[in-house]
Amino acid sequence: MARDTDEVASSGNFGAKLLFCCVGCFYWITLTPFVDTSLNPALAKPALWSQLLAYVLFLIVVVYAMTPRVRSVIFQPRLLLAFVFGWLFLTAALSVDPLGAVRRVLIALTVCISASAFLMLPKGESQFARLAGGGVMLIVGLCYFGVLFLPRLAVHQLTDFLEPQHAGLWKGIYVQKNETGVVMALSCFVGIYLMSAWSRVIGLLVIAASCLFLLKTGAKTSTAMLPGIFVLSIFFERWRWIRIPVVFGGVGLLNLATVGVSTIAPLREIVAATGIDTTYTARADIWRLALDAIAQQPITGYGFGSFWGAESLVNSDMRTLNWAVRAVDAHNAYVDAAMNAGIPGLILMVIWVLATPLKNLAAIDAAKNFTPLTRLFLRIWLFSIFLACLESVFLARSGPIWFTMMVAMFGLGYQARYRIIALRKAEPAYGPAYA
């Protein structure tokens, strides 16, 4: 799909850059930054204008994605994604709330399509670096602005409806400090990339600002994972033989050490002997409830988003015996995948989020196409698949984490199939200008 330099130069129009910024801000900043967490979130309903804006933005993305030079590239691998979303639609139709579950799957599909088209918008890698860098600086800057000028909304308070115990911890524009911690960790990875692709000074500033904010959030998981993923990505690049054992073995062992502890007593005793909290901040109760539910409906699950929060669960007799019935998710993306779509759905998700990126990395190596951009996608992907052992990030219908993970997965796929063309009279071709 290589084109001459004049065509590449003219293709990066203002509209595409504006759409890139709008989509990025929609998922990273959202339409409701600085939420008042003193209010009951269950009573909050999205405004009609925000839903209409979301639909309009997605329609614009679809129009762009249907152009000949883009539609042949995006949403790959299509056969696998057809199986994933086909199974999600089927299990949703069989759920106790088919209309609601199907609607939620449709929204998840729009997020997936948007993420796959997102990387096609910049005309070259240097433009992508500037746009991504500007976006990250805006987000981190807004978080600091909130702490300085809107502390009641940007810092957890004793008046918080759900988590007053987090009082004093920074959350910036987001609802909860752990989400902010993830965003700051991802921003650090972008900062490292900017040092190579745009400006060393700007990259260092992004890293420093993000790391300081991360520490102030008190998000222990993201703080611990950030340096670990950075080191792991270096090993991934240098020693290819460790990739499959680390990804499948690492995710399996982490799930065993977390979810497994909640159901296997000998393992729980071993973990407790190390001084680790075997309740994992009360997540163990949720995991036991979830595993019991999966055992009762292992093939089709309960339909996308139809288990947690269901009236039949929240108002059941269990509510006085187990607080976990009030949970909003399983705090584990792999468990939630089985809850939503049964064991077959979990297998399809594992093939998509674990096996496919590994296959793409092997193709990137074979094509000698490993670049700083590849490292950015690799770090985001690695961070996300291990974070998924403690947070429900897969198929999230809003927020930055799942969207960014998909951008990284699709980015690895693009680099596995196409080479970025270095052109002298225009920026290095990125997006649709592949060969």
Side-chain angles (χ1 to χ4, degrees):
M1 296 181 65
R3 298 165 293 170
D4 60 40
T5 56
D6 291 334
E7 186 180 355
V8 171
S10 63
S11 65
N13 55 63
F14 175 78
K17 291 188 289 185
L18 179 61
L19 184 58
F20 180 94
C21 295
C22 289
V23 172
C25 289
F26 178 78
Y27 287 104
W28 272 68
I29 299 177
T30 76
L31 298 176
T32 55
F34 299 119
V35 173
D36 187 351
T37 48
S38 66
L39 304 176
N40 184 352
L43 302 178
K45 294 183 179 179
L48 179 60
W49 69 266
S50 65
Q51 298 180 56
L52 291 175
L53 183 59
Y55 293 140
V56 169
L57 184 60
F58 175 66
L59 287 175
I60 296 173
V61 171
V62 169
V63 170
Y64 176 80
M66 289 300 100
T67 56
R69 63 193 177 97
V70 177
R71 68 183 178 214
S72 62
V73 177
I74 66 169
F75 205 65
Q76 301 277 1
R78 289 179 183 169
L79 181 60
L80 174 59
L81 290 175
F83 275 113
V84 169
F85 283 97
W87 184 254
L88 285 172
F89 278 117
L90 176 61
T91 55
L94 297 174
S95 70
V96 295
D97 178 25
L99 291 179
V102 167
R103 184 179 66 85
R104 288 186 285 270
V105 175
L106 281 171
I107 296 174
L109 180 59
T110 66
V111 180
C112 185
I113 293 172
S114 297
S116 68
F118 184 69
L119 288 172
M120 297 294 104
L121 292 166
K123 70 176 181 181
E125 187 183 359
S126 61
Q127 185 180 95
F128 168 79
R130 290 196 302 271
L131 291 172
V136 166
M137 287 189 289
L138 172 63
I139 291 154
V140 175
L142 282 174
C143 287
Y144 275 101
F145 173 84
V147 170
L148 293 174
F149 301 104
L150 300 170
R152 189 179 69 83
L153 301 177
V155 179
H156 280 292
Q157 306 291 319
L158 287 171
T159 56
D160 283 5
F161 184 84
L162 293 177
E163 297 172 312
Q165 69 271 21
H166 295 327
L169 298 177
W170 294 6
K171 63 186 183 72
I173 63 176
Y174 301 100
V175 175
Q176 210 263 358
K177 54 105 176 176
N178 287 335
E179 182 181 13
T180 309
V182 173
V183 169
M184 292 303 153
L186 297 177
S187 298
C188 285
F189 295 141
V190 175
I192 296 170
Y193 167 69
L194 294 177
M195 290 178 63
S196 300
W198 184 20
S199 166
R200 183 175 297 272
V201 173
I202 292 176
L204 286 172
L205 288 174
V206 168
I207 294 169
S210 301
C211 285
L212 175 60
F213 208 101
L214 173 58
L215 293 174
K216 291 293 187 178
T217 65
K220 296 185 286 293
T221 300
S222 296
T223 303
M225 285 180 60
L226 177 60
I229 295 299
F230 178 75
V231 173
L232 184 61
S233 66
I234 296 175
F235 294 160
F236 245 65
E237 183 176 353
R238 293 184 179 179
W239 299 310
R240 301 171 190 174
W241 63 269
I242 73 168
R243 292 176 179 176
I244 294 177
V246 165
V247 169
F248 286 96
V251 167
L253 286 174
L254 188 53
N255 275 306
L256 182 63
T258 53
V259 178
V261 165
S262 66
T263 55
I264 305 173
L267 183 59
R268 183 162 57 250
E269 294 172 2
I270 294 173
V271 174
T274 65
I276 296 175
D277 174 20
T278 56
T279 69
Y280 293 99
T281 320
R283 285 180 172 91
D285 293 332
I286 299 174
W287 293 332
R288 281 192 291 269
L289 175 62
L291 292 177
D292 288 341
I294 292 170
Q296 296 174 31
Q297 208 155 320
I299 304 301
T300 60
Y302 293 84
F304 190 42
S306 298
F307 182 83
W308 303 107
E311 290 186 8
S312 58
L313 176 67
V314 176
N315 297 326
S316 67
D317 295 337
M318 294 177 59
R319 68 182 186 276
T320 58
L321 302 174
N322 189 353
W323 75 271
V325 299
R326 299 190 299 272
V328 296
D329 57 54
H331 285 284
N332 182 294
Y334 303 96
V335 172
D336 260 335
M339 295 284 291
N340 288 329
I343 302 302
L346 172 61
I347 293 172
L348 286 171
M349 286 299 298
V350 167
I351 294 173
W352 183 22
V353 303
L354 298 186
T356 301
L358 282 173
K359 178 183 177 182
N360 290 332
L361 281 168
I364 290 170
D365 288 330
K368 294 181 170 47
N369 202 23
F370 215 104
T371 67
L373 188 62
T374 313
R375 296 184 186 99
L376 172 64
F377 295 150
L378 171 62
R379 288 162 184 157
I380 291 173
W381 170 66
L382 285 173
F383 184 91
S384 301
I385 62 173
F386 287 108
L387 177 71
C389 297
L390 290 167
E391 300 293 344
S392 293
V393 300
F394 298 163
L395 298 171
R397 301 182 299 280
S398 62
I401 303 172
W402 171 240
F403 173 78
T404 307
M405 179 181 178
M406 279 195 297
V407 168
M409 291 193 301
F410 284 122
L412 290 173
Y414 296 150
Q415 289 195 302
R417 293 187 294 274
Y418 309 101
R419 290 187 63 84
I420 299 173
I421 310 168
L423 300 174
R424 293 183 179 180
K425 296 183 181 179
E427 297 181 278
Y430 187 72
Y434 288 106

